[in-house]
Amino acid sequence: MQLDELNVSLDSVLVDRYNQDGYLLLDKLITSQWLDRLRAVAAEFVEASRSLTQSSKAIDIAPGHTSEQPKLRRLVSPVDMHPTFHEFALQGPIAKLACALLGGSARFHHSKLNYKWASGGEEVKWHQDIQFWPHTDFSPLTIGVYLDAVDDEMGPMGVIPGSHQGQIYDLYDDQGQWAGAMQDNDIEQLELDKVVWLKGDAGSVTIHNACMIHGSMPNDSDRGRPLLLQTYSAIDSYPIGCLGANSTLGGASGTVIQGPSEQHLRVQGRELKCAPDWSASGGRAPTIFGSQQRQKL
Ligand SMILES: O=C(O)CCC(=O)C(=O)O
């Protein structure tokens, strides 16, 4: 499948490889036009972060952040913060890539921009994503775009091929507190010699399934590592409200890309076509009487 505005075509071999290994690394996939636009917008937020003395809802700053040396750790929902990020994730090349991997259409879940600042940008400990935002199936995947080239020193993302088909781990600590990371005794059992570090030039793309075990080392280089991440699921996969971050997402979450939203859901192998989503109607939903009498809201 030739994807507009990408430097590559995505054929069924790559899709099969993704399904088998649970990840892909696609070198220099994003065109320089898109990269220039994304970098320019990202730079605006780094500038904006200079005036912060503590993290805000939208911008997470790392310890040691100052106005002279800003350390923006994460933009929480870039698609809600700038039309360029919105276009990129919902109509642009990454949206099309998600559709190609998820059967022709996709449901957008969320996006974020992770920075790892030069000389010590934090590690991301081994974890899986699905516990952070559980869905009705395991289709969710995250597509990452390196806005700058990333090498070994810079804390590239590491994945364990095939681990997406294995155990789903407990990400609480031994005191029962949410840690967002695997426990040491589980990590000891991992085949860490099989880790693949996803490095690449600017515009390279990482894709990993939500059950993939992954993480990244601190950034020991003198260069920052901006990684723009966007998550999608299959069109008939839904985030489960009241669990994890699902209830705190931005306005674009749930947007269907390249497909009809027909309220299809599959649970335990049984398909159901659910009632419409009335959440946009100001809290009003018809009663069964109103629906059966075909009364308008
Ligand atoms: O930034 C990275 O290297 C990994 C990001 C990640 O795994 C996450 O934010 O869940």
Side-chain angles (χ1 to χ4, degrees):
M1 180 184 297
Q2 182 62 46
L3 298 171
D4 295 347
E5 299 182 277
L6 286 177
N7 287 331
V8 80
S9 60
L10 193 78
D11 59 21
S12 61
V13 176
L14 274 182
V15 177
D16 290 350
R17 179 137 53 90
Y18 163 74
N19 287 326
Q20 182 179 312
D21 295 342
Y23 80 97
L24 288 176
L25 173 66
L26 303 171
D27 199 33
K28 290 194 272 191
L29 194 74
I30 303 302
T31 59
S32 55
Q33 290 88 339
W34 261 113
L35 266 187
D36 290 347
R37 288 180 66 190
L38 294 169
R39 283 202 197 110
V41 174
E44 286 176 25
F45 286 100
V46 175
E47 276 312 299
S49 77
R50 287 180 191 275
S51 62
L52 293 179
T53 52
Q54 58 184 24
S55 296
S56 68
K57 202 173 152 203
I59 300 183
D60 181 43
I61 53 173
H65 168 91
T66 62
S67 57
E68 295 76 36
Q69 281 200 312
K71 289 189 179 174
L72 195 169
R73 186 161 53 184
R74 173 175 284 183
L75 272 192
V76 174
S77 186
V79 296
D80 291 311
M81 296 172 81
H82 198 283
T84 298
F85 288 133
H86 190 281
E87 182 188 340
F88 185 66
L90 288 134
Q91 292 108 42
I94 289 300
K96 292 181 183 137
L97 181 58
C99 292
L101 287 162
L102 289 164
S105 55
R107 183 179 296 279
F108 177 76
H109 186 252
H110 75 280
S111 70
K112 55 206 171 201
L113 175 56
N114 280 1
Y115 275 91
K116 258 189 214 284
W117 283 102
S119 315
E122 288 165 31
E123 76 172 318
V124 177
K125 297 179 183 172
W126 295 111
H127 68 282
Q128 294 157 310
D129 291 334
I130 194 76
Q131 301 89 326
F132 285 80
W133 19 264
H135 275 64
T136 52
D137 69 13
F138 295 121
S139 68
L141 54 81
T142 296
I143 303 182
V145 179
Y146 286 133
L147 299 187
D148 290 323
V150 173
D151 61 25
D152 276 324
E153 274 193 312
M154 296 169 74
M157 188 189 295
V159 294
I160 304 182
S163 62
H164 66 305
Q165 282 165 344
Q167 186 175 337
I168 307 285
Y169 287 90
D170 185 346
L171 304 186
Y172 284 76
D173 67 16
D174 49 16
Q175 313 294 313
Q177 299 294 312
W178 173 249
M182 290 171 62
Q183 296 190 20
D184 289 345
N185 56 335
D186 287 325
I187 294 171
E188 280 162 21
Q189 309 300 317
L190 297 179
E191 295 182 293
L192 292 178
D193 54 326
K194 302 226 165 91
V195 171
V196 177
W197 298 104
L198 307 179
K199 303 167 274 188
D201 289 307
S204 296
V205 160
T206 66
I207 301 163
H208 67 275
N209 177 263
C211 300
M212 168 60 67
I213 297 171
H214 65 288
S216 57
M217 299 291 159
N219 182 0
D220 292 325
S221 77
D222 56 4
R223 288 147 291 142
R225 194 220 63 171
L227 172 58
L228 179 62
L229 297 153
Q230 20 295 282
T231 296
Y232 308 84
S233 71
I235 196 170
D236 57 357
S237 171
Y238 291 83
I240 301 170
C242 308
L243 287 176
N246 287 325
S247 306
T248 65
L249 296 168
S253 187
T255 303
V256 168
I257 303 164
Q258 273 186 199
S261 182
E262 290 182 329
Q263 303 300 101
H264 280 293
L265 178 64
R266 188 183 300 275
V267 180
Q268 293 188 340
R270 298 168 81 183
E271 189 156 332
L272 48 153
K273 190 167 180 178
C274 305
D277 173 9
W278 287 297
S279 59
S281 59
R284 295 178 68 223
T287 63
I288 189 170
F289 305 105
S291 295
Q292 293 183 358
Q293 298 306 318
R294 303 294 184 86
Q295 288 166 351
K296 297 242 177 297
L297 266 182

